[in-house]
Amino acid sequence: MTETARLDASRAVLPLFAGALFLLVVLPVGWLAVFAFSDHAGHFTLSNFRLLVTDPSFRDPLVTALALAVSVSVICSAVAAPMGYLVARTDMPFRRPVRLLVMASFVTPPFLGAIAWELLAAPNSGLLNQLYRAARGADPDVVLFDIYTFWGLAFAICCYTFPYVFVLVANALDRIPADLEDASSMLGGSAARTARKVTIPLALPALLAGALVAFLQTMTLFGSPAILALPAGFHVITTKIWSLFQYPPKPELAAAASLPLLLLTVVLLRAQAKILGRRGYTVVGGKSGEVRPVALGGWRWPAFAFCFAVLCLSVLLPYGALFNAAFSRIPSQPLTFSNFTFSHFQFVFQELSSTKLAIKNTFYLGMSAATCGTIFALVIASLTARAATLGTRALSFLATAPIAIPGITLGVGLFLAYTRGPVVLYGTLWILLLAYVTIELPAAYQQLQAAFRGISGELEEASRILGASRLGTLRRVTAPLLGPSLVATWCFIFVAVMRELSAAVILFTSETKVLSVLIFDLNESGDLAAISVLGLTMLVLTAVILVAANRIPGFTGGMKLGRRI
Amino acid sequence: MRTHRLTRRQVLQGLAATSLALPLLGRKAFGAAPAPSKVTPGLIEAAKKEGEAIWYTAVDLPVAERLGKAFEAKYPGMTLRVERSGGERIFQRISQEYGSNLHKVDVVNSSDAAHFVVWKREGMLAPYVPEDVALHYPKDQQDPDGLFATWRAWLCVIGYNTKLVKKEDAPKSYKDLLDPKWMGKIVKAHPGYSGTILTATYQIARDVGWDYFEKLSKQKVMQVQSSADPPKRLALGERAIMADGNEYNLFQLKEKGDPVEIVYPTEGTPLIVGPTGVLKDAPHPNGARLFQSYLFSPEAQKLMVDFGGLRSFHALVKDKEGRTPLKDIKLMKDDPVAVEKQADEIKAKYTSYFKV
Amino acid sequence: MSSVILRNLTKRYGTQTALDDVTLEIEHGQLVCLLGPSGCGKTTALRLVAGFMSPTAGEISLGDRVVSSPSRTLSPEQRNVSMVFQGYALWPHMTVAQNVAYGLEVRRVDRATIAKKVAAILQTTHLDGVADRYPAELSGGQQQRVSLARALIVEPETLLLDEPLSNLDTGLREEMRFEMRRLHDAYRYTSIYVTHDQGEAMTTADRIAVMNAGRIEQFGSPEEVYEEPRSEFVARFLGGSNILRGKAIDATHLEFAGAPIECHGVPLAAGRDAAVSIRQHHIALSNGVSRPASPNAVQATVVRNVFLGSTRDYVVEAKGGSQLRIIAAPEQSFAPGTSVWVTLPREHCRALVS
């Protein structure tokens, strides 16, 4: 083994990954920019943008989307922040199950939730409206909830967006050391005063960050609006972009309409970085002390009732409705012995020819995107976590950049990039894999980078100096130490792939159909029962994978990770 | 988007060839169709070697899947993959795929006959005439060049939920739908997603007038995508009236016992034809031809009619008992060439009224 | 023959210079301490030798190989050096035996040899009983020894030690100093030992390089740097010295607090400002009434008197306001405010390079 050969193997990693990232990120965005400034014949023009601001059929969806995103962000914050506080800092009963159910709502694809809410709250056939009319003996015209409205859509989005805010707030509150609160109570502050003056301000940056995430998620969401906004008679920007792919497709306009979304996201993310950067956010990282829950007294049960109500709306009722529709002969009728049927399962698994293909594709893509994404993020994090050179900073930027690219925009960009030479990937699973890895890379990278910070650089240096190469060290020392974080990241990507619709709906072909697209197609023709069956299947599949992943031997069990130096 | 364009040279060559060939063979100008093809053991054998056929179709999913299963049962060793989507989305998908040089589809069926005008113009279809078509189909339901034929036909009708609307209150015509009492009670599909509705919209706008749609858009209509969706919403009881949607879905639902009823509007009912053709660049050329022949066979047509509620032009296949025969219904006239020309304009105008 | 050579080694971060033109030669088998306060560049020097970073200028040779220069830096794994880290850097997911065996496994040594060598080194480092424990289950001293065993087992050309004892309790730390020296005597690897503790340096080192502000102030045996500090910094840093400042009278005399103080060492330049160092415990105190016999004496007033058991710690103020710190025998006590004579023995007054 010559010295130079070993030198090259490790040194080549940085440019290699920089190149790969460039392909992943810069290529689609570059094509997007090129198309946005081209006319149909390929000449430079600004007319796409002129149309975008002057034509109300483009302006209105943008304004609607903004209004929707602000509403969702405010509602989510108002609901999730108190929930986070109750779960993290008080003696409310059933705090663990509450957390778990919030996670269940997190892994629910928003489009599935939207369809479930169609079953529940369509103005006439919705189960809740039927129940209400039956209970009140009211006229068939009386409607309690109408999901096909702006607020109906906002509500359905909130149900699956609030977990982002909840997780950020609850984690921040988990990490506030008790002595900070103790210091306040020592000085004579009442519990309420301590909460107001110390706890809440410390959690505020997390809340702001959560509100921002909720805003961005809503802005870039495709599935729920496509399902609920169309019947309600309005477009948001993502559904508008999608409709531009109807025949004759107008990729130039779609590209131009994607760019404001991209810019807005970049601006907001910078704002978030500023908010989080200013206060000593890492102060909220002390490991000192047990958290002493605030005693709620008589408010314990009302507090739980509040959390339970939220979870009913986001998890229990929707899954109940899906379950009902999966077994009931007519999806809008409550399940009884007389209308119980397995025929929908039979249809989905025996007659529907795309089911097996879609499940297989989704499974393969989920596994491979999770594995590739985790490895990719791991290597990049290992390169950037230990040295701040110009090269690694650029790498870090590229790895984080896709966070600013909405799924539908990335879908358009990838479509433009890989339907022409030199590499034509459209029509293969590869293009979907690229899309998934690109979309999930930022989150995976950030998670692993944080995990790296928890491991002292000396542990790696010790291995290097004893003769192991950079990659050898990564494999033998760093990766095992990161074990639990790696599994968590893997699971995160897997779940995200299951949820993804916006890029897939642009990039799929008949052979590369995935579950989310299949469900979306079935929704188009109104096959709610089949959707329910597939939705439940998806939930089971996700649950099985998550449980299995957490049992991978050698990772979480049996290892004594006492001291993290 | 790159589409298939014939080069100037190819067109000239083609013209030269026809002008030379026509007098020699003494055929009529539109009679360039190939000789009818039987299902020969050789074709079955070749198809089985390919093992598969892929069918893009706009027909209702259960009908499509049932046909696929019947085909697989008849020809063991064959797999048929059904890709069901709205007609307009199928058209968009194929242009997306062909634009990227992807040839994934063997046999295509659309709910918008205008699509075949385009595909024919762009030279994407292969000439193939199944024996059944030549023997049992009216000439006006066949392409003169043998590239496609009307596989199915159906009507785009008005419907109502019998639990929510009494028979005597039900609308009789398109004009009736503009009555304020139907405000917020109508469900309707979208010409941007559904070929059926695009065709119907063209015919209704032509025969009733665009002001009908303008007024209808003020009725707080629930807008869905596919023409298969409104009948299902009707059956769920989500809306009392459907302004447009597939007759065949209503047949299926009604015969299953769901509370739905069909109305053939007094102004006339749009007739929709759904041709089927084999792609020239089909990845499984033999499988494609075998399936195309099967689709036009009496057994497939009967299945389509009985189970699917569709209308067949096959001379030997009769309508199911209890369904109003076509001859008793006042029909609007089909005009695929005009629909093809005006498609963009129709969609744009529609969007300007309905905002989606 | 020199085993480690730093030639004009410089490391800059932006405008900051961490290491400034350092040249140092370490002979084979020697243990050299880099001694200095934090931020003096000693750790930077060590990490440069380890190959964790590239120098801005200058070069490093190990044996006859140039391993670091601005244009080419061999990575750590190619240097055959090993290192003991300040935080030990034991891998928490491996047992003691696995930690120690790692370097040999990486070198693809066969299993039997690994087992034999691990057993031997664990015995030498008194760790035989804990081979199958995880690092988190060990005491601080045991962890430190595992870290040492792990570094020694690969028989490095050069052993680097980065403040290896700083995380230990005082008692254990003093005990381990002798242990380090014992192990060095046993293996005699060329070693570079970074510390800020002069006691540690004195106990373990063959030679000491005193570092300050990125430079080596003095390089010599422990006795040399202690007894003959060449600069004010070395004098102060190694075992509490007082610095007397004044005008030089001639080559061997300095005017301090109104008295001519005789000194030795670097010849002084008459009329120039000069500095002389004297250890705190070399200064004698006597009562202010009778002038001591030595001419090297000045009058002063006691400012502080702290009883420390075996000694007394004084601060006195001489004429002209200069304060001196004195460690004296405990029996004799002068209350603050008392006038005293301070004797500065000629042989302990050492003129410094200015």
Side-chain angles (χ1 to χ4, degrees):
Chain A
M1 186 164 20
T2 67
E3 278 175 12
T4 38
R6 283 183 62 174
L7 198 70
D8 287 345
S10 281
R11 288 272 160 98
V13 169
L14 194 100
L16 194 79
F17 275 78
L21 270 180
F22 187 84
L23 280 184
L24 279 182
V25 180
V26 180
L27 201 63
V29 176
W31 274 111
L32 215 56
V34 168
F35 264 76
F37 289 102
S38 309
D39 62 14
H40 207 75
H43 301 300
F44 177 83
T45 179
L46 286 174
S47 63
N48 295 326
F49 291 98
R50 204 171 307 128
L51 199 66
L52 215 59
V53 275
T54 52
D55 186 345
S57 77
F58 286 100
R59 215 177 41 212
D60 293 351
L62 196 60
V63 173
T64 312
L66 280 169
L68 190 69
V70 170
S71 317
V72 167
S73 169
V74 168
I75 298 171
C76 283
S77 305
V79 172
M83 265 181 94
Y85 180 79
L86 289 172
V87 166
R89 300 305 273 199
T90 69
D91 63 347
M92 185 184 76
F94 301 117
R95 278 168 299 164
R96 273 199 66 82
V98 167
R99 251 184 220 252
L100 238 124
L101 281 174
V102 173
M103 282 303 111
S105 115
F106 180 71
V107 304
T108 305
F111 55 85
L112 191 61
I115 294 171
W117 270 101
E118 270 191 301
L119 289 166
L120 284 166
N124 301 304
S125 60
L127 289 166
L128 293 179
N129 285 319
Q130 290 187 50
L131 276 176
Y132 176 76
R133 281 192 291 264
R136 298 281 302 265
D139 218 54
D141 283 350
V142 177
V143 169
L144 183 61
F145 304 108
D146 184 355
I147 203 71
Y148 301 119
T149 55
F150 177 87
W151 289 109
L153 174 60
F155 166 80
I157 296 176
C158 281
C159 283
Y160 305 97
T161 308
F162 89 93
Y164 289 99
V165 186
F166 173 89
V167 166
L168 281 165
V169 170
N171 283 355
L173 287 169
D174 279 342
R175 289 195 310 244
I176 294 175
D179 41 12
L180 292 183
E181 291 185 322
D182 289 349
S184 167
S185 19
M186 293 293 230
L187 295 169
S190 67
R193 194 184 168 79
T194 302
R196 206 174 66 241
K197 291 282 182 183
V198 179
T199 320
I200 292 173
L202 278 172
L204 205 59
L207 177 61
L208 263 171
L212 213 68
V213 171
F215 180 91
L216 284 174
Q217 288 284 334
T218 310
M219 262 325 264
T220 56
L221 193 63
F222 167 72
S224 312
I227 287 159
L228 297 177
L230 213 59
F234 63 89
H235 266 301
V236 294
I237 188 70
T238 47
T239 55
K240 187 71 196 174
I241 291 173
W242 179 64
S243 77
L244 290 171
F245 272 77
Q246 282 170 33
Y247 189 85
K250 304 175 190 74
E252 301 84 15
L253 267 177
S258 303
L259 284 185
L261 215 51
L262 186 66
L263 287 179
L264 185 73
T265 315
V266 171
V267 168
L268 285 177
L269 286 172
R270 291 213 66 101
Q272 181 193 15
K274 268 215 151 120
I275 294 169
L276 294 187
R278 285 233 345 254
R279 304 223 188 157
Y281 194 53
T282 43
V283 169
V284 188
K287 33 186 163 169
S288 74
E290 297 260 302
V291 174
R292 232 174 325 90
V294 173
L296 291 175
W299 288 100
R300 284 182 74 212
W301 289 101
F304 173 70
F306 163 71
C307 292
F308 185 74
V310 172
L311 292 170
C312 268
L313 294 179
S314 71
V315 184
L316 302 176
L317 280 175
Y319 276 109
L322 289 178
F323 189 82
N324 183 70
F327 289 103
S328 170
R329 207 183 65 78
I330 297 174
S332 63
Q333 279 179 4
L335 192 58
T336 58
F337 278 113
S338 60
N339 66 11
F340 179 89
T341 175
F342 271 121
S343 64
H344 305 312
F345 280 84
Q346 199 182 347
F347 174 71
V348 166
F349 290 106
Q350 289 177 8
E351 290 174 30
L352 190 59
S353 59
S354 334
T355 307
K356 263 186 218 141
L357 186 73
I359 290 180
K360 202 176 78 190
N361 284 342
T362 308
F363 184 75
Y364 285 161
L365 279 170
M367 300 289 264
S368 50
T371 308
C372 293
T374 307
I375 293 174
F376 209 52
L378 173 68
V379 175
I380 296 170
S382 79
L383 288 173
T384 59
R386 299 300 184 220
T389 65
L390 199 67
T392 59
R393 264 201 299 273
L395 204 59
S396 179
F397 171 79
L398 278 176
T400 325
I403 205 172
I405 312 175
I408 194 139
T409 311
L410 185 74
V412 175
L414 283 173
F415 177 79
L416 297 176
Y418 294 109
T419 45
R420 58 211 70 234
V423 195
V424 177
L425 293 181
Y426 177 65
T428 64
L429 286 174
W430 293 105
I431 197 167
L432 285 164
L433 182 65
L434 280 186
Y436 290 144
V437 169
T438 312
I439 292 173
E440 302 315 331
L441 187 63
Y445 169 65
Q446 282 172 351
Q447 284 181 16
L448 288 182
Q449 211 189 20
F452 258 98
R453 278 190 221 115
I455 296 178
S456 155
E458 282 190 349
L459 291 178
E460 289 164 29
E461 289 175 349
S463 163
R464 295 291 300 284
I465 202 125
L466 285 171
S469 68
R470 204 189 270 267
L471 290 176
T473 302
L474 186 59
R475 185 172 56 81
R476 301 181 59 145
V477 173
T478 322
L481 285 175
L482 288 171
S485 308
L486 286 176
V487 173
T489 304
W490 192 95
C491 293
F492 180 88
I493 300 180
F494 187 88
V495 168
V497 167
M498 295 293 234
R499 285 170 62 114
E500 215 295 324
L501 173 67
S502 55
V505 82
I506 302 246
L507 297 174
F508 85 101
T509 58
S510 56
E511 280 166 61
T512 58
K513 199 173 249 188
V514 290
L515 270 176
S516 60
V517 174
L518 180 60
I519 289 180
F520 187 69
D521 275 358
L522 286 169
N523 183 66
E524 185 197 79
S525 53
D527 293 300
L528 294 174
I531 291 172
S532 304
V533 171
L534 280 173
L536 293 178
T537 309
M538 210 159 157
L539 182 74
V540 171
L541 188 64
T542 310
V544 166
I545 295 285
L546 293 192
V547 169
N550 282 304
R551 295 252 166 94
I552 295 175
F555 272 109
T556 43
M559 195 166 68
K560 289 169 188 161
L561 283 174
R563 189 175 132 130
R564 279 283 167 82
I565 302 167
Chain B
M1 187 68 38
R2 200 151 58 81
T3 49
H4 274 242
R5 286 212 185 80
L6 295 170
T7 65
R8 211 177 130 74
R9 221 173 101 234
Q10 282 171 315
V11 174
L12 288 174
Q13 278 171 349
L15 279 175
T18 2
S19 56
L20 279 176
L22 284 180
L24 278 177
L25 296 173
R27 280 205 185 169
K28 285 182 285 177
F30 51 85
S37 305
K38 283 186 184 180
V39 176
T40 59
L43 177 65
I44 297 175
E45 212 40 54
K48 279 185 182 168
K49 261 193 201 124
E50 293 163 359
E52 194 181 35
I54 299 170
W55 184 34
Y56 285 18
T57 179
V59 78
D60 200 28
L61 188 58
V63 180
E65 297 289 3
R66 174 99 30 139
L67 273 164
K69 291 283 173 291
F71 173 70
E72 287 173 2
K74 179 161 183 183
Y75 300 105
M78 289 301 295
T79 306
L80 184 88
R81 223 182 40 251
V82 170
E83 270 306 310
R84 197 222 91 91
S85 199
E88 298 306 304
R89 284 191 62 204
I90 287 181
F91 187 61
Q92 170 206 337
R93 283 274 302 290
I94 291 181
S95 72
Q96 232 179 59
E97 290 177 6
Y98 269 64
S100 311
N101 258 325
L102 289 179
H103 305 138
K104 300 275 180 196
V105 47
D106 290 314
V107 178
V108 64
N109 157 252
S110 176
S111 49
D112 183 350
H115 295 161
F116 284 83
V117 177
V118 178
W119 289 329
K120 179 177 179 178
R121 191 173 57 219
E122 305 205 340
M124 288 161 63
L125 298 170
Y128 181 72
V129 180
E131 195 179 24
D132 275 297
V133 172
L135 295 178
H136 304 296
Y137 276 69
K139 280 284 170 248
D140 62 350
Q141 297 303 332
Q142 300 179 38
D143 174 51
D145 296 319
L147 298 174
F148 56 86
T150 299
W151 173 61
R152 59 173 178 145
W154 67 102
L155 303 176
C156 177
V157 298
I158 292 177
Y160 64 93
N161 182 308
T162 53
K163 278 197 185 150
L164 301 173
V165 180
K166 283 203 260 334
K167 194 175 169 61
E168 55 273 25
D169 297 337
K172 310 274 182 297
S173 66
Y174 289 114
K175 289 269 157 61
D176 285 353
L177 296 179
L178 304 178
D179 190 319
K181 73 178 173 181
W182 303 127
M183 174 82 74
K185 296 194 170 162
I186 300 175
V187 58
K188 180 178 185 330
H190 196 291
Y193 303 88
S194 160
T196 303
I197 303 301
L198 180 66
T199 307
T201 305
Y202 164 77
Q203 295 179 21
I204 298 170
R206 183 190 61 197
D207 296 1
V208 183
W210 271 109
D211 62 325
Y212 158 70
F213 287 107
E214 191 180 356
K215 286 177 191 151
L216 187 65
S217 71
K218 309 278 193 306
Q219 288 281 60
K220 286 194 183 163
V221 169
M222 173 181 180
Q223 183 75 66
V224 296
Q225 298 179 27
S226 166
S227 57
D229 203 357
K232 292 169 192 171
R233 306 280 168 171
L234 207 59
L236 288 177
E238 178 47 46
R239 287 292 188 273
I241 303 286
M242 73 172 213
D244 53 23
N246 297 329
E247 180 199 35
Y248 66 80
N249 291 113
L250 287 181
F251 278 145
Q252 291 170 29
L253 292 164
K254 193 178 155 188
E255 285 159 18
K256 217 170 75 183
D258 282 342
V260 292
E261 191 50 77
I262 299 168
V263 174
Y264 301 104
T266 52
E267 293 97 334
T269 305
L271 171 74
I272 321 290
V273 297
T276 294
V278 173
L279 273 296
K280 201 174 75 198
D281 294 323
H284 313 102
N286 296 299
R289 282 163 177 76
L290 184 63
F291 185 63
Q292 175 81 344
S293 285
Y294 174 75
L295 281 177
F296 287 96
S297 68
E299 62 177 290
Q301 289 286 312
K302 188 158 168 34
L303 195 156
M304 182 190 94
V305 168
D306 290 355
F307 176 73
L310 287 148
R311 311 277 186 170
S312 171
F313 282 111
H314 198 296
L316 305 181
V317 178
K318 297 280 164 268
D319 272 331
K320 202 174 168 185
E321 208 59 27
R323 294 180 185 165
T324 317
L326 271 188
K327 61 177 169 45
D328 300 343
I329 302 168
K330 181 185 173 193
L331 297 177
M332 288 180 175
K333 205 184 135 11
D334 187 26
D335 187 354
V337 177
V339 172
E340 199 269 317
K341 272 197 198 120
Q342 297 177 24
D344 265 359
E345 194 191 324
I346 294 170
K347 288 179 201 169
K349 210 157 181 179
Y350 187 89
T351 304
S352 74
Y353 292 144
F354 286 88
K355 302 294 171 218
V356 287
Chain C
M1 175 211 139
S2 297
S3 179
V4 177
I5 303 174
L6 315 186
R7 238 176 255 111
N8 306 101
L9 201 61
T10 300
K11 179 70 186 176
R12 272 190 285 273
Y13 301 100
T15 56
Q16 246 189 328
T17 303
L19 207 61
D20 188 5
D21 196 26
V22 163
T23 296
L24 183 69
E25 293 196 11
I26 301 172
E27 278 168 38
H28 185 77
Q30 266 195 346
L31 191 156
V32 168
C33 265
L34 302 184
L35 175 66
S38 59
C40 72
K42 57 189 192 298
T43 298
T44 303
L46 196 75
R47 294 175 64 79
L48 281 166
V49 175
F52 293 136
M53 44 173 90
S54 302
T56 313
E59 60 181 38
I60 301 170
S61 302
L62 295 178
D64 48 6
R65 299 192 293 174
V66 176
V67 293
S68 288
S69 69
S71 59
R72 193 175 125 87
T73 299
L74 285 189
S75 58
E77 62 267 26
Q78 295 164 327
R79 301 186 168 213
N80 198 19
V81 298
S82 66
M83 183 157 171
V84 176
F85 291 84
Q86 185 168 7
Y88 314 138
L90 299 181
W91 300 303
H93 60 302
M94 300 184 194
T95 62
V96 168
Q98 286 167 337
N99 262 283
V100 173
Y102 186 88
L104 297 179
E105 281 168 10
V106 169
R107 285 167 173 69
R108 302 186 195 283
V109 174
D110 66 277
R111 281 173 183 283
T113 316
I114 292 181
K116 214 163 63 202
K117 287 196 172 182
V118 168
I121 198 111
L122 288 183
Q123 193 161 32
T124 317
T125 48
H126 309 309
L127 288 166
D128 7 17
V130 297
D132 293 326
R133 297 219 197 138
Y134 284 90
E137 300 165 324
L138 302 180
S139 72
Q142 285 170 320
Q143 291 186 16
Q144 206 280 336
R145 285 202 296 271
V146 175
S147 168
L148 205 58
R150 185 177 68 180
L152 291 173
I153 199 167
V154 296
E155 299 170 14
E157 273 176 41
T158 314
L159 176 64
L160 308 176
L161 303 111
D162 185 9
E163 306 257 9
L165 305 182
S166 64
N167 276 1
L168 299 177
D169 301 335
T170 318
L172 192 56
R173 193 182 321 154
E174 283 176 9
E175 189 189 315
M176 281 302 289
R177 284 176 194 168
F178 297 104
E179 181 74 7
M180 300 295 286
R181 186 65 220 185
R182 178 180 75 81
L183 287 169
H184 182 254
D185 287 338
Y187 291 99
R188 295 223 73 90
Y189 298 129
T190 309
S191 306
I192 305 179
Y193 188 125
V194 161
T195 181
H196 65 272
D197 182 318
Q198 63 147 310
E200 217 171 294
M202 292 285 179
T203 322
T204 53
D206 294 317
R207 290 168 77 80
I208 294 175
V210 184
M211 294 189 65
N212 181 36
R215 291 173 161 276
I216 293 183
E217 295 261 339
Q218 190 171 357
F219 183 48
S221 69
E223 292 80 5
E224 270 167 27
V225 293
Y226 188 83
E227 296 299 343
E228 295 161 29
R230 291 188 47 224
S231 69
E232 188 179 326
F233 175 81
V234 177
R236 273 188 192 282
F237 194 75
L238 266 82
S241 291
N242 290 290
I243 307 295
L244 315 179
R245 286 174 210 283
K247 284 252 180 317
I249 299 166
D250 54 33
T252 55
H253 286 83
L254 169 104
E255 181 173 326
F256 176 73
I261 303 295
E262 194 185 350
C263 59
H264 70 283
V266 192
L268 304 177
R272 292 281 201 79
D273 285 331
V276 162
S277 81
I278 181 163
R279 302 266 166 217
Q280 290 160 2
H281 58 269
H282 285 147
I283 303 177
L285 276 182
S286 55
N287 87 43
V289 185
S290 53
R291 194 178 200 287
S294 165
N296 267 16
V298 294
Q299 270 193 304
T301 311
V302 174
V303 176
R304 192 184 79 186
N305 169 353
V306 181
F307 178 61
L308 291 177
S310 59
T311 54
R312 273 177 196 280
D313 187 341
Y314 286 98
V315 173
V316 303
E317 189 169 304
K319 226 163 55 181
S322 307
Q323 291 201 336
L324 297 174
R325 192 154 166 209
I326 299 162
I327 306 290
E331 297 80 16
Q332 208 179 7
S333 180
F334 301 98
T338 320
S339 181
V340 291
W341 276 99
V342 176
T343 305
L344 307 158
R346 191 201 70 86
E347 63 276 22
H348 295 303
C349 291
R350 187 174 167 79
L352 301 171
V353 183
S354 48

